[in-house]
Amino acid sequence: MMRRLAEGGAIDRSQERTVVVNGVSYQGYAGDTVASALLANGLIAVGASSVFGRVRGVVSAGGEEPNALVQVTAPWSEPLVAATLLELPEQALEVSLLPGLRGRLAGDDEQRHDHHHAHCDLLVIGAGRSGHAAAAAAVAEGRRVILAERDFRPIELAGDEAIALPRTTALGSYDDNFVTLVERVSPVRRRLWHVRAGEVVLATGAYERPLVFPGNDLPGVMLAGALRTYLERFAVAAERPAVFCNNDRGLEVARLLGAAVIDLRAGRTVVGVEDAGEDGLSVLVAPLEAPADIERIECDVLGVSGGFDPVLDLHLHRGGRVRWHEGRACFVPDGALPRQRIVGAAAGEGLPAVQAHWLLPGDESQAFVDLHRDVTVAELRRAVGAGLQSIEHVKRYTLIATGADQGRTAKTNATAIAAQLLGSGVAEVGSSTTRPPVEPISFAALAGRARGERFDPVRTTPIHPWHVDRGAVFEDVGQWKRPRYYPRDGEQMDAAVLRECAAVRGGVGMMDASTLGKIDIQGPDAAEFLNRLYTNAYDTLKVGRCRYGLMCRADGMVFDDGVVSRVADDRFFATTTTGGAAVVLDWMEEWLQTEWPQLRVWLTSVTEQWATVAVVGPRSREVLAAVVPGVDLSAEAFPFMSFVDTAVAGADAHVSRISFSGELAYEVSVPGTRGLELWAALWSAGEPHGVTAYGTETMHVLRAEKGYPIVGQDTDGTVTPIDLGMDWIVSKTKPFVGSRSLRRPDTMRPDRKQLVGLLPDDPALRLDEGAQVVLDPNLRAPVPMAGHVTSSYDSAALGRTFALALVRGGRDRIGHSLYVSQSGVTARATVVEPVLVDPQGARRDG
Amino acid sequence: MAELRRGGSLSQLGLRVMAGGDAAGRVERLLGVPLPQSPNTVREGVLWLGPDEWLIVGRPEDEPRLREVLAGEGAAVELSSNRVSLELSGPQAPDVLASCCSLDLHGDAFPTGRCAQTLVAGAPVIIERVDDRPGFRLLVRPSLAMYVESWLADGIVGLA
Amino acid sequence: MTSVFEQHPDFLWHAPEPRSSYDVVIVGGGGHGLFTAYYLAKLHGISNVAVLERGWLGGGNAVRNTTVIRSNYLWDESAAMYEHSLRLWEGLTEELDYDILFSQRGVLNLAHNLGDVREGVRRVNANRLNGVDAEWLDLDDVAEFCPQVNISPELRYPVLGATLQRRGGIARHDALVFAVARAASALGVHLIQNCEVTGIELDGGRAVAVQTSRGRIGAGRIGLCAAGHSSVVAAMAGVELPIQSHPLQALVSEVLEQVLDCVVMSNAVHVYVSQAHKGELVMGAGIDPYNSYAQRGGFHVIEQQMAAALELFPIFATAHVLRTWAGIVDVSPDASPIVGATPVDGLFVNCGWGTGGFKATPGSGWVYAHTLATGQPHELNRPFSLERFETGALIDEHGAAAVAH
Amino acid sequence: MLLIPCPWCGPRDEVEFRYGGQAHVAYPADPEAIDDREWSRFVFYRDNPKGRFAERWTHQHGCRRWFNLVRDTATHQIAGSYALGEEPPA
């Protein structure tokens, strides 16, 4: 039994604290951990073990604790926290012991966890003697220093450029001296530091290692150094301690505590420990050479020390090397990484010589190597007997060192015992690597503030408030919110879309097209540049005219499309798809800079410089006329695929006559800040003509009725321009990126999947987008598939449903029937030309 | 202590021209300011964005005039609507930024007169250090401004 | 509670000294290599086979992956390959007489935008016609199947539906490695560990032996199965592969009481997660963009992964990340594997599985054993040849990744 | 999180950059003149060494310049950046 001493320690007896364990209150002081408070109250058992359900006790006073992991239940909720690190907060802390060490999740974490980026010349991990000295020296030189220490004791480090962080654990070490730290800002709040350091000093110390002997898992068997810590720091001690060790450090503790000593170096070992109830432990001691020759030592606690393991996680995270140090019986760093130093005990400095006896006599099924995972020497022997020679296999066979305690007290013992069983050296069996994080960190702390509205941007156009005001239903297109349709009272989407489609083809509609990507292309070689990237030619495009263009990747597959306008001899304006805006600009820059640096061309993203409104339908000319009174909008003066620069509502405006619906249509662009005014002006001008706002869904229907594909919907990265039936736009006379790929055997196959229209026999049946095309309605798997439905709608203009599909040899099937399979049902449809509305293009000029 | 507010509208012009060439000289004469040659520095409203790229902020010149003096040897693009400005200032402004930006904002590393294109919570921004209070101006795409503001405002809350 | 180690038998495999030559030498002792050796011995009567492993068996991607097993691939060629593999999985526990903890708990693939929905419906329809079980779940079905998923419309990218493959699931990767290695060893296959291949010996344009850290080993045929190092090993024979190697990270939580009983994947929000048998949450993160053999990736990838996970599963907020790690994935241009002959006679390659390798191990080993035994591809791996990059007949499993309007 | 030395902006976090794979791969002078095999090498094949690798990056969210970098793919050690068109440092 341990108890609190009347004086001494680094606790503040003037501040009482409370910890409630499984509903029972215990008193402690400021400066206590949950573990020290429990021990001070005479409690040593902390729960049942994971496999055998054996009672276990506190083993350590630090981050290596295998047993005393608790579930915090109030004032916050957190699974599996080491009681040896958990500081008693001002508020009463409620924890429950975890049978089987299985954590519980109790819902979202309402706490605030911050992230912080920091830069320094020197980052020191560990504020022990060596670490503090390194930090202080650098501070004296005027360097920017961060000193991080896991413990909660205050750190003295004065200097303008010095940051001392107690309660801060270094979690992981990454390339180029990027180190993550977690600071316990409050008992529950975390701040995750992202530190980029010029130099890193690892002063992380060493963990004491237990000895592996029968009965070593009984509550009361603790690390010798932990006994010292509990005495010196927390003023908690046992009346009758004993110490079992193989090194001088253990002996020192024994002297300090006045403990009975069992020294392996003197040829004495422990062959068993018995629970003597109120009387504590009865330790069965025998000579190594004569294990049956037992004497008993009665004690309250048995401190054990089997040597020390430098804490090298951060070194190992980056692939740092270690070597086995025979004299100290531990892995020590084999050099440091560039711009890093390892100092103090972490480097093996000052660690005592150890006389290692890994495999001690006695019942191996009672000798625990891993207390957390409940693995004994017997299991290790079984693993080795199964033919396993690598510690990694042994770990996986036994689960040694894979628990929430990271196996800190188990790893070296397991490796060395396995080596001894195999008759090989420790280093040959392998030093198990460690991976970040050094201590468990909650998902919420890692996510930080990137929750809710800060998870990912919601991008909206300048006209967005109008859409919201009119009750638009939005669609996510990448990060953009685009109006999908504008339902009127009680209207469902299908009805709204039919209404919007009819309104556009029958009168005039308006759509916010501001999200389209826009790129300004200037320079004397701009036309040549575009010639090389687009499948069609741009040197022949006249100033004031526009041209539809497709781009392929080098593999010949379509990857974006848009309209290119020639603004001047040396200036073009290109649009991209909404999702393609950034990608296409990057793509252009890549070719320009890396392949064609000799071309004098300069590219600028102007996506958000311009807000764009599409005015579409037979009455669009009248609407536009009202806002650009001075411009001759006649078909002759302002032909299809041309543009004029003018002013609308007092703003510079770029008006193009382009159409994605087959109707007479204009796209009007003004500087983004004037976008909402533009929309309002056009809306007022449109109201006498019954203008209707429409969204992406209607836009999709209208374009599909004309057979215009949408990149990413009617293509999937396996579709060439030829497959889309766009031979007319593929230059035969100039090379372009991807042109060579169109001459490969597979891309020239006549039976490639080609874009065609489909008319279901049942004109009311709207096929599923994603339905599969089959040639034989007799479905028995595996059924050969001939393609799939890419777009499918109910058409107001056609008075029936229709679809676009990619169909194997589709062009040759026009006029023939095939079948479409969706959700196990098969429907017949006729293959048709993809242009279903106004194939002659008569509506284009209004 | 830190304060965040949305800046007023700013004229912005994108400039692309070979540094040190004749055309650059003509531009400099038009502006009356030498184009800053040192990466990520600002000179009288002219921000270095790249070895042949500058952003001209809050100045009276316009795109046609610039294109005229460039005479095909570079590019000029009107960009006043392409980004909005956010102003963040106060002693703890660097801490607020450090909650969502990995740039080293220490006074020695990023003094007044420096600018940088970087990321704030994943969103591309141009950050300019405008004074020693310290004050920062962030130029952000309008569609991302609310998101960036949300992060910065949250960073201010986090100071408490 | 029973001891978790009781699942493993008393004996696993022998550790023989290498012979001077073998009928077939397999380079790489991961899941693919071990299954290849096993099926060579079991189905083709070729047991004079060595599996050469640079480190320890399964020490590469086999034990680093998140063990998601499914066969709901889009294209016929992939669906056939992965479905064959899934069928083998369904018999492995019995065939190998080893509880590999294969649990067909269902794999959900969430759709968060209209493009995802189209893609999901397309895949479900294609899967069904290919004889692969697949269902499309609307939002209510998703909520019923996996009540833990946040289906709030307030999400940044609300869940709109999901594909479900009920036969998909997870297994215990360590157990799989132990099981197939034991079975191969029992059939006489030599499993040679700590044996690094340092060269491939050619004779008149034919690969005849490998140089290793344990000496020269002659080979009738050589099968490369060195995922993560495919390019490096192939280069020893002068063979170039259209492969790039990237870090792929994953992470695991502490052991938790049951909170999730299916596999959930979300491409748009970048999450895949399951809860393993012992109770830890296992999650995969995104691929780091650069080439690397360092088996580590960037921390920001993990942070983004956590933010995404909490979008979908706020209940995970207080769970702790216990360990993160990275494997090396071989990525091919069309995100499909390369299994078959190389321009060097006698040298065959099995690589490019990207993130999909673990689920394919039995199927891959099965077809590769056929290829190594007969010198000819099996029908299932014929489309996965190197030549496809010349002809253009790719099997592009990237899918419609682009979001465009 | 690599720290990439942009030749213009100095060292910046990896997330500001986009990776461009192997450096010094020239676009075929006349794609139409080469056979399918040769063309496929350009489109699909890139070196993938374990060790020193000359590769391309662009400072996408910074100065938007492409440049070359020599990096060790086994250790992530960066030897340095250099301009497009220059030879890698020894």
Side-chain angles (χ1 to χ4, degrees):
Chain A
M1 168 93 63
M2 295 174 84
R3 55 174 53 90
R4 181 86 74 190
L5 306 179
E7 49 190 49
I11 46 169
D12 181 352
R13 287 179 174 76
S14 69
Q15 291 190 63
E16 290 199 358
R17 298 278 160 93
T18 303
V19 56
V20 182
V21 182
N22 288 0
V24 182
S25 285
Y26 299 93
Q27 183 235 314
Y29 298 110
D32 261 328
T33 63
V34 168
S36 67
L38 293 185
L39 292 170
N41 281 279
L43 251 76
I44 205 160
V46 290
S49 68
S50 58
V51 177
F52 300 114
R54 288 165 72 104
V55 179
R56 292 278 159 79
V58 176
V59 165
S60 75
E64 71 271 48
E65 178 59 37
N67 289 341
L69 304 182
V70 297
Q71 172 101 24
V72 178
T73 52
W76 73 93
S77 173
E78 191 175 3
L80 288 175
V81 184
T84 48
L85 296 177
L86 187 55
E87 182 182 356
L88 287 196
E90 284 176 40
Q91 266 181 291
L93 179 71
E94 294 180 30
V95 304
S96 63
L97 303 176
L98 290 162
L101 297 171
R102 194 171 272 263
R104 255 192 317 277
L105 301 182
D108 201 352
D109 183 351
E110 305 299 331
Q111 287 299 325
R112 183 187 174 94
H113 302 298
D114 291 288
H115 284 192
H116 184 74
H117 297 266
H119 300 256
C120 62
D121 299 316
L122 176 69
L123 170 66
V124 181
I125 312 295
R129 207 180 319 150
S130 311
H132 193 275
V139 169
E141 291 166 14
R143 298 167 76 194
R144 292 165 72 185
V145 175
I146 297 176
L147 173 58
E149 166 56 51
R150 180 184 228 169
D151 200 57
F152 53 82
R153 282 177 295 193
I155 303 169
E156 301 287 328
L157 186 72
D160 291 344
E161 300 290 348
I163 299 173
L165 298 171
R167 299 185 174 86
T168 301
T169 307
L171 293 176
S173 177
Y174 300 85
D175 292 305
D176 301 307
N177 277 355
F178 183 74
V179 180
T180 54
L181 318 172
V182 61
E183 179 189 3
R184 293 181 290 280
V185 181
S186 80
V188 54
R189 246 181 98 174
R190 301 287 178 268
R191 181 181 289 129
L192 189 60
W193 288 67
H194 305 66
V195 181
R196 186 72 78 172
E199 189 191 5
V200 173
V201 168
L202 303 180
T204 38
Y207 282 124
E208 194 168 22
R209 182 168 71 216
L211 289 160
V212 180
F213 55 92
N216 66 338
D217 70 324
L218 262 68
V221 179
M222 296 171 68
L223 290 166
L227 292 180
R228 177 180 196 154
T229 302
Y230 284 116
L231 171 69
E232 294 183 339
R233 179 164 175 190
F234 300 103
V236 176
E239 276 175 26
R240 292 177 305 156
V243 166
F244 179 28
C245 65
N246 63 4
N247 64 76
D248 280 347
R249 195 76 67 82
L251 223 49
E252 274 174 42
V253 175
R255 274 192 217 109
L256 180 79
L257 300 174
V261 175
I262 307 135
D263 194 335
L264 262 172
R265 294 172 298 180
R268 300 207 316 151
T269 188
V270 176
V271 296
V273 183
E274 290 171 3
D275 183 355
E278 289 292 297
D279 296 330
L281 300 172
S282 182
V283 180
L284 280 53
V285 180
L288 263 174
E289 305 306 321
D293 191 1
I294 291 169
E295 62 171 301
R296 284 178 185 267
I297 293 180
E298 313 297 329
C299 61
D300 295 323
V301 293
L302 176 63
V304 295
S305 179
F308 291 81
D309 291 321
V311 180
L312 294 170
D313 304 60
L314 298 168
H315 178 62
L316 294 166
H317 289 172
R318 282 189 49 194
R321 306 173 80 88
V322 294
R323 64 185 169 83
W324 181 251
H325 190 295
E326 201 62 50
R328 291 169 183 158
C330 62
F331 286 102
V332 295
D334 187 11
L337 291 159
R339 297 192 290 129
Q340 298 208 347
R341 276 186 288 148
I342 307 176
V343 301
E349 292 161 13
L351 295 183
V354 165
Q355 193 173 322
H357 292 271
W358 302 107
L359 208 48
L360 296 173
D363 183 351
E364 290 181 353
S365 70
Q366 300 292 309
F368 284 82
V369 183
D370 187 330
L371 294 165
H372 185 87
R373 284 295 201 192
D374 241 4
V375 185
T376 67
V377 176
E379 268 78 60
L380 271 185
R381 190 179 284 283
R382 190 165 162 276
V384 167
L388 304 182
Q389 296 174 323
S390 159
I391 190 62
E392 293 295 341
H393 281 144
V394 171
K395 269 171 67 178
R396 285 167 168 80
Y397 189 90
T398 61
L399 297 184
I400 271 185
T402 59
D405 66 333
Q406 316 255 25
R408 297 197 187 286
T409 54
K411 258 183 237 172
T412 302
N413 281 331
T415 308
I417 291 171
Q420 190 158 349
L421 292 171
L422 285 162
S424 58
V426 181
E428 287 165 46
V429 176
S431 66
S432 186
T433 52
T434 72
R435 315 263 177 222
V438 166
E439 80 182 20
I441 176 166
S442 75
F443 287 20
L446 286 168
R449 303 300 296 158
R451 309 275 317 262
E453 65 183 20
R454 288 174 307 279
F455 170 62
D456 203 47
V458 175
R459 300 179 70 178
T460 58
T461 75
I463 307 165
H464 189 73
W466 194 92
H467 308 318
V468 173
D469 192 48
R470 295 304 168 106
V473 172
F474 292 92
E475 172 191 6
D476 285 311
V477 182
Q479 292 175 326
W480 291 97
K481 289 278 183 202
R482 298 195 70 182
R484 192 177 182 198
Y485 59 98
Y486 299 81
R488 291 192 182 157
D489 305 327
E491 221 176 22
Q492 297 298 303
M493 183 176 82
D494 289 354
V497 171
L498 279 174
R499 172 181 54 73
E500 290 175 10
C501 285
V504 174
R505 293 219 190 274
V508 62
M510 280 169 54
M511 188 189 73
D512 182 356
S514 304
T515 61
L516 288 183
K518 306 171 198 78
I519 300 169
D520 179 281
I521 301 149
Q522 293 186 41
D525 300 319
E528 170 63 19
F529 175 68
L530 296 174
N531 267 1
R532 296 183 189 185
L533 279 179
Y534 283 91
T535 60
N536 51 351
Y538 286 88
D539 51 346
T540 54
L541 183 66
K542 293 189 169 57
V543 172
R545 304 302 299 254
C546 322
R547 188 165 283 173
Y548 173 75
L550 273 181
M551 259 184 271
C552 296
R553 298 228 179 246
D555 65 3
M557 303 302 154
V558 171
F559 103 99
D560 207 74
D561 68 349
V563 171
V564 179
S565 307
R566 190 161 201 168
V567 181
D569 265 344
D570 65 346
R571 189 176 196 183
F572 293 80
F573 179 84
T575 63
T576 74
T577 60
T578 297
V583 186
V584 171
L585 180 65
D586 289 348
W587 174 251
M588 287 181 163
E589 278 289 357
E590 180 174 348
W591 284 94
L592 182 58
Q593 292 185 38
T594 67
E595 292 295 341
W596 308 319
Q598 70 284 3
L599 292 185
R600 292 162 301 161
V601 178
W602 297 278
L603 308 169
T604 308
S605 166
V606 289
T607 297
E608 301 206 33
Q609 171 62 25
W610 299 98
T612 303
V613 178
V615 187
V616 182
R619 307 191 72 170
S620 57
R621 185 176 282 133
E622 295 155 62
V623 174
L624 199 65
V627 297
V628 288
V631 180
D632 182 353
L633 297 177
S634 66
E636 300 70 37
F638 193 3
F640 184 58
M641 294 309 259
S642 67
F643 69 87
V644 293
D645 285 326
T646 176
V648 173
D652 290 343
H654 179 86
V655 183
S656 312
R657 235 200 94 192
I658 53 184
S659 177
F660 200 40
S661 59
E663 299 298 326
L664 175 69
Y666 302 87
E667 284 188 3
V668 186
S669 298
V670 297
T673 46
R674 311 296 297 275
L676 196 50
E677 290 166 68
L678 167 69
W679 180 277
L682 287 167
W683 189 258
S684 305
E687 274 186 317
H689 305 282
V691 67
T692 296
Y694 69 94
T696 51
E697 198 65 25
T698 290
M699 180 260 281
H700 286 180
V701 179
L702 297 174
R703 63 87 203 176
E705 289 170 341
K706 291 292 293 176
Y708 299 147
I710 286 190
V711 174
Q713 176 169 344
D714 301 295
T715 71
D716 61 4
T718 69
V719 178
T720 71
I722 318 291
D723 299 340
L724 290 176
M726 291 198 173
D727 322 43
W728 55 274
I729 211 177
V730 178
S731 172
K732 312 288 184 292
T733 55
K734 58 139 190 126
F736 55 87
V737 170
S739 57
R740 174 64 185 80
S741 285
L742 300 179
R743 290 202 295 108
R744 294 175 300 168
D746 197 73
T747 36
M748 292 198 298
R749 273 192 299 113
D751 65 339
R752 283 181 66 82
K753 288 178 185 168
Q754 294 152 349
L755 190 72
V756 291
L758 291 184
L759 293 178
D761 284 7
D762 174 358
L765 173 68
R766 189 167 66 200
L767 301 171
D768 288 348
E769 290 171 349
Q772 293 291 323
V773 172
V774 296
L775 302 177
D776 180 347
N778 215 347
L779 303 183
R780 193 176 308 136
V783 182
M785 284 167 264
H788 76 287
V789 173
T790 58
S791 298
S792 176
Y793 308 101
D794 197 355
S795 166
L798 300 171
R800 58 157 302 142
T801 60
F802 74 104
L804 297 178
L806 285 165
V807 177
R808 194 174 299 284
R811 306 265 339 145
D812 287 340
R813 295 185 202 275
I814 287 174
H816 296 85
S817 285
L818 42 64
Y819 300 88
V820 173
S821 167
Q822 52 189 42
S823 312
V825 179
T826 307
R828 204 166 77 149
T830 304
V831 182
V832 293
E833 287 283 352
V835 187
L836 290 164
V837 167
D838 186 28
Q840 293 75 32
R843 305 179 62 86
R844 200 179 70 190
D845 288 330
Chain B
M1 262 300 291
E3 219 177 295
L4 172 69
R5 64 184 198 89
R6 184 75 76 114
S9 73
L10 281 173
S11 77
Q12 297 166 67
L13 272 171
L15 170 68
R16 301 291 299 274
V17 65
M18 192 178 82
D22 289 348
R26 294 197 296 273
V27 171
E28 288 175 338
R29 281 193 292 281
L30 174 71
L31 298 175
V33 184
L35 298 170
Q37 302 298 312
S38 187
N40 298 307
T41 58
V42 187
R43 190 144 179 185
E44 295 181 42
V46 183
L47 281 68
W48 185 100
L49 297 188
D52 66 351
E53 182 170 8
W54 290 267
L55 187 68
I56 302 168
V57 178
R59 295 182 55 96
E61 292 79 14
D62 62 14
E63 180 192 286
R65 282 287 290 146
L66 270 174
R67 273 184 49 84
E68 196 182 312
V69 302
L70 285 165
E73 292 181 59
V77 188
E78 160 60 31
L79 294 173
S80 301
S81 284
N82 213 35
R83 292 186 180 92
V84 297
S85 74
L86 307 177
E87 293 169 8
L88 179 72
S89 62
Q92 287 181 286
D95 291 329
V96 173
L97 271 170
S99 71
C100 49
C101 175
S102 69
L103 210 62
D104 187 354
L105 297 164
H106 190 275
D108 296 345
F110 199 73
T112 299
R114 284 297 289 269
C115 65
Q117 295 166 91
T118 185
L119 295 170
V120 165
V125 298
I126 300 172
I127 301 182
E128 179 188 353
R129 176 147 166 169
V130 292
D131 59 41
D132 291 333
R133 300 161 58 196
F136 299 90
R137 177 159 70 190
L138 282 75
L139 297 172
V140 188
R141 299 263 185 248
S143 67
L144 294 169
M146 270 175 53
Y147 170 77
V148 171
E149 278 173 319
S150 166
W151 271 95
L152 296 175
D154 183 72
I156 292 172
V157 173
L159 295 173
Chain C
M1 186 184 280
T2 56
S3 166
V4 279
F5 39 76
E6 278 172 11
Q7 61 175 295
H8 298 304
D10 285 338
F11 186 73
L12 289 174
W13 56 70
H14 300 278
E17 284 302 307
R19 295 184 192 126
S20 61
S21 76
Y22 293 88
D23 293 343
V24 179
V25 164
I26 291 164
V27 181
H32 292 267
L34 291 171
F35 265 116
T36 304
Y38 167 68
Y39 285 124
L40 272 170
K42 176 159 187 259
L43 301 178
H44 301 279
I46 302 173
S47 57
N48 184 25
V49 174
V51 176
L52 308 184
E53 168 53 49
R54 181 170 72 110
W56 41 282
L57 297 174
N61 293 341
V63 302
R64 290 167 195 269
N65 73 91
T66 53
T67 83
V68 176
I69 295 159
R70 61 187 177 91
S71 64
N72 54 351
Y73 280 70
L74 175 64
W75 300 107
D76 300 350
E77 299 88 344
S78 316
M81 173 76 92
Y82 285 101
E83 177 62 15
H84 179 64
S85 192
L86 179 54
R87 296 223 166 115
L88 291 170
W89 273 107
E90 288 172 327
L92 282 182
T93 294
E94 194 177 341
E95 174 172 351
L96 301 175
D97 186 24
Y98 206 117
D99 188 1
I100 56 169
L101 298 173
F102 178 47
S103 159
Q104 291 178 288
R105 54 184 62 188
V107 175
L108 269 186
N109 208 311
L110 303 177
H112 298 271
N113 57 50
L114 300 176
D116 283 358
V117 171
R118 276 183 212 107
E119 184 59 27
V121 170
R122 177 184 178 191
R123 197 147 47 84
V124 163
N125 281 309
N127 288 162
R128 291 166 73 136
L129 295 180
N130 270 322
V132 174
D133 79 298
E135 293 162 55
W136 175 255
L137 303 191
D138 65 20
L139 198 53
D140 291 341
D141 298 333
V142 172
E144 190 180 332
F145 187 78
C146 184
Q148 295 82 8
V149 175
N150 185 359
I151 57 160
S152 160
E154 301 303 313
L155 277 190
R156 175 64 189 87
Y157 298 105
V159 177
L160 302 180
T163 68
L164 169 63
Q165 183 175 26
R166 290 186 193 270
R167 287 165 59 238
I170 57 172
R172 180 82 200 141
H173 45 25
D174 300 333
L176 181 82
V177 170
F178 288 169
V180 64
R182 180 180 70 146
S185 182
L187 291 170
V189 169
H190 276 193
L191 307 177
I192 320 273
Q193 303 185 73
N194 297 313
C195 181
E196 182 169 5
V197 170
T198 55
I200 296 174
E201 198 177 307
L202 304 184
D203 183 4
R206 183 177 173 83
V208 295
V210 290
Q211 307 291 346
T212 80
S213 55
R214 296 177 67 173
R216 178 187 187 276
I217 299 174
R221 288 192 172 121
I222 299 172
L224 305 184
C225 269
H229 282 76
S230 302
S231 302
V232 174
V233 182
M236 293 173 188
V239 172
E240 290 180 66
L241 298 173
I243 290 289
Q244 300 282 291
S245 299
H246 293 272
L248 174 66
Q249 299 187 75
L251 60 94
V252 68
S253 78
E254 71 267 80
V255 172
L256 299 165
E257 290 176 358
Q258 179 158 327
V259 58
L260 181 67
D261 62 0
C262 62
V263 182
V264 178
M265 309 177 65
S266 161
N267 294 337
V269 185
H270 300 298
V271 172
Y272 48 106
V273 59
S274 66
Q275 187 170 20
H277 306 80
K278 291 199 302 284
E280 62 269 42
L281 293 169
V282 180
M283 308 185 79
I287 290 186
D288 285 76
Y290 46 79
N291 289 28
S292 170
Y293 291 87
Q295 291 188 325
R296 61 175 185 270
F299 180 69
H300 59 288
V301 177
I302 300 290
E303 290 181 300
Q304 287 160 6
Q305 166 69 7
M306 289 296 96
L310 294 190
E311 273 285 288
L312 292 178
F313 295 98
I315 190 169
F316 293 169
T318 61
H320 296 106
V321 171
L322 190 61
R323 192 162 59 249
T324 64
W325 66 90
I328 310 169
V329 291
D330 288 347
V331 179
S332 73
D334 58 358
S336 284
I338 301 164
V339 185
T342 70
V344 172
D345 274 356
L347 181 70
F348 297 79
V349 68
N350 177 353
C351 67
W353 291 92
T355 61
F358 182 73
K359 64 179 75 68
T361 47
S364 155
W366 202 89
V367 299
Y368 200 37
H370 175 98
T371 306
L372 285 166
T374 63
Q376 295 298 319
H378 186 274
E379 281 312 307
L380 286 172
N381 65 314
R382 190 180 300 280
F384 295 93
S385 69
L386 258 180
E387 288 81 57
R388 73 181 189 268
F389 300 101
E390 276 176 46
T391 64
L394 304 189
I395 304 157
D396 195 332
E397 285 288 346
H398 290 295
V403 180
H405 275 278
Chain D
M1 180 76 79
L2 305 180
L3 188 66
I4 310 267
C6 170
W8 299 101
C9 303
R12 294 284 187 93
D13 275 0
E14 167 198 335
V15 288
E16 293 187 9
F17 298 81
R18 187 162 70 84
Y19 188 57
Q22 185 187 355
H24 310 296
V25 180
Y27 190 70
D30 184 0
E32 304 302 320
I34 58 179
D35 65 13
D36 289 338
R37 192 182 137 70
E38 232 179 301
W39 177 247
S40 79
R41 317 275 323 158
F42 168 73
V43 177
F44 295 120
Y45 284 74
R46 293 293 181 271
D47 288 352
N48 187 27
K50 182 177 186 175
R52 187 180 153 92
F53 191 37
E55 60 194 14
R56 307 180 309 157
W57 290 81
T58 178
H59 195 185
Q60 187 178 27
H61 298 296
C63 65
R64 298 201 299 141
R65 297 302 99 186
W66 280 86
F67 59 92
N68 294 330
L69 191 73
V70 170
R71 187 178 58 96
D72 190 308
T73 60
T75 64
H76 296 177
Q77 283 282 107
I78 292 169
S81 54
Y82 58 103
L84 298 174
E86 284 180 7
E87 289 302 305

